[in-house]
Amino acid sequence: MARYSQLGFVDAASPLMEQMIFFHDHAMVVLLLIINFVLYMMIYFTVQKFICRTIYESQFTEFIWTVVPAIILVFLALPSLRLLYMLDEIGDSALTLKCIGHQWYWSYEYSDYSNEISFDSYMIPTDDLEPGDFRLLEVDNRAVVPYGCNIRVLVTSEDVIHSWSVPSLGIKVDAIPGRLNQMGFYLNYPGIFYGQCSEICGANHSFMPICLEGVDTKSFTAWLNTLEAYQK
């Protein structure tokens, strides 16, 4: 049974996800008002033995129930278009992370440096999990990024269509063979953020999780130097 904390969205870790949650709450308020009004009218006219002819054939009433929904759509469209623009906008990025989907694992590349750093990320089998690890979400090599700066993500695939998705960041980018998609995000705080492939990509679709770790800039630089020395 779901607990109270599991009935909504995951905690937002980026400004984009915060805006998505805000828009969801905004739309839900409008939706609840519409549902309550329509339910009231249905009950009212069901209880009544007849509908007044002045209401049934009123042009003014038809005008009202045509204009009001249009106004409601405007209240939903304006914040929706603003959010879509924010999702599509990518500012100056401090780091580029390239994610490549395979059947059935992810590869990551840090191509901003003279020596390109790359590694594969596989799901840890259930028998090898440590106490406190999350089943079907832990990986052997996490993608590490610094928090507090803009990150650009390039996503592609080498075989079939995958989808790189991290709910707490508000990110879902399709990985399509022969095509390079991009999206940006900004981490508000350090932590470990999980996701999964959100496109049905074959028999082991549910076994290619995403594990993103946000650290401070100093720790990220140290991790990067260690990985670069190891790959040499």
Side-chain angles (χ1 to χ4, degrees):
M1 179 179 295
R3 298 187 298 272
Y4 176 78
S5 60
Q6 296 174 323
L7 297 179
F9 293 98
V10 296
D11 293 336
S14 70
L16 291 178
M17 190 58 187
E18 291 175 355
Q19 291 297 317
M20 289 183 187
I21 295 175
F22 175 78
F23 175 70
H24 169 268
D25 296 341
H26 169 75
M28 285 299 295
V29 170
V30 176
L31 183 61
L32 289 174
L33 292 175
I34 295 173
I35 291 175
N36 288 332
F37 176 75
V38 173
L39 184 61
Y40 168 78
M41 296 300 293
M42 290 177 62
I43 294 175
Y44 175 78
F45 287 123
T46 301
V47 172
Q48 298 294 322
K49 293 184 178 180
F50 60 91
I51 300 176
C52 179
R53 182 172 292 274
T54 57
I55 297 178
Y56 190 73
E57 297 180 356
S58 172
Q59 292 184 356
F60 178 74
T61 303
E62 293 184 4
F63 175 79
I64 291 299
W65 71 41
T66 302
V67 172
V68 171
I71 296 175
I72 293 174
L73 289 177
V74 171
F75 275 96
L76 292 176
L78 292 180
S80 175
L81 293 174
R82 172 179 172 272
L83 182 57
L84 286 174
Y85 176 79
M86 292 175 61
L87 292 171
D88 192 54
E89 184 69 15
I90 300 177
D92 295 333
S93 57
L95 176 71
T96 299
L97 174 65
K98 187 176 181 181
C99 311
I100 305 172
H102 308 268
Q103 287 184 316
W104 287 271
Y105 64 96
W106 293 97
S107 295
Y108 297 102
E109 295 180 2
Y110 296 80
S111 53
D112 291 338
Y113 307 94
S114 56
N115 296 324
E116 184 174 299
I117 299 172
S118 62
F119 56 88
D120 298 330
S121 180
Y122 290 88
M123 186 192 74
I124 297 178
T126 303
D127 296 339
D128 298 334
L129 291 175
E130 300 292 336
D133 289 346
F134 294 101
R135 178 177 172 269
L136 301 182
L137 291 177
E138 297 291 346
V139 297
D140 55 357
N141 294 311
R142 295 171 177 169
V144 180
V145 295
Y147 75 91
C149 58
N150 291 320
I151 308 296
R152 183 176 65 158
V153 181
L154 301 177
V155 183
T156 187
S157 173
E158 284 198 350
D159 35 54
V160 298
I161 297 178
H162 302 278
S163 185
W164 200 79
S165 174
V166 183
S168 56
L169 302 180
I171 288 182
K172 183 179 183 296
V173 188
D174 286 341
I176 302 174
R179 178 167 181 161
L180 201 63
N181 291 330
Q182 71 173 350
M183 191 172 186
F185 68 89
Y186 180 97
L187 272 178
N188 289 337
Y189 51 83
I192 300 174
F193 310 98
Y194 296 97
Q196 289 178 305
C197 176
S198 299
E199 195 76 40
I200 299 177
C201 57
N204 293 330
H205 155 70
S206 57
F207 303 108
M208 52 181 304
I210 300 161
C211 188
L212 191 71
E213 184 175 358
V215 298
D216 60 85
T217 306
K218 184 177 180 180
S219 300
F220 173 74
T221 304
W223 173 84
L224 207 61
N225 292 334
T226 302
L227 192 63
E228 187 176 10
Y230 175 78
Q231 292 191 354
K232 284 182 180 180

